[in-house]
């Protein structure tokens, strides 16, 4: 083979190695994004549960205020 052909083949090999590294990195990024999405979903569920508890606290406080005649109504 001539020198230019060897250079092209060497460049293609380097590009191939770089592509392999990028594929591995992208696999890692996908795993991390999936983990972040899972955590975000869990936080959303927990926030919904906390909102439900706060609603129950509000109902109980309203009932206490009515019994103690602390409200105008």
């Amino acid at each position: 083979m001539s020198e230019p052909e060897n250079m092209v083949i060497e460049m293609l090999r380097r590009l191939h190695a770089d592509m392999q590294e990028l594929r591995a990195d992208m696999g890692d990024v996908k795993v991390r994004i999936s983990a972040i999405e899972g955590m975000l979903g869990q936080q959303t569920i927990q926030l919904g549960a906390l909102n439900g508890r706060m609603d129950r606290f509000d109902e109980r406080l309203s009932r206490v205020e009515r019994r103690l005649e602390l409200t105008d109504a």
Side-chain angles (χ1 to χ4, degrees):
M1 277 189 214
S2 67
E3 189 64 30
E5 287 178 9
N6 286 340
M7 288 176 59
V8 170
I9 289 173
E10 183 59 32
M11 289 176 64
L12 288 174
R13 286 184 179 140
R14 289 180 188 167
L15 284 172
H16 181 71
D18 289 344
M19 289 293 294
Q20 293 297 339
E21 286 181 41
L22 286 173
R23 284 186 181 144
D25 289 345
M26 283 304 297
D28 293 341
V29 169
K30 287 179 182 181
V31 168
R32 293 179 74 184
I33 288 175
S34 294
I36 290 169
E37 289 173 338
M39 287 186 289
L40 182 60
Q42 290 173 355
Q43 288 177 347
T44 302
I45 290 169
Q46 290 173 351
L47 181 60
L50 287 173
N51 285 337
R53 290 181 68 190
M54 290 298 293
D55 290 342
R56 288 191 299 276
F57 285 140
D58 188 46
E59 292 170 7
R60 292 174 69 188
L61 180 60
S62 294
R63 190 172 55 223
V64 168
E65 287 175 339
R66 276 195 310 270
R67 286 186 178 178
L68 296 175
E69 298 177 358
L70 298 175
T71 61
D72 296 332

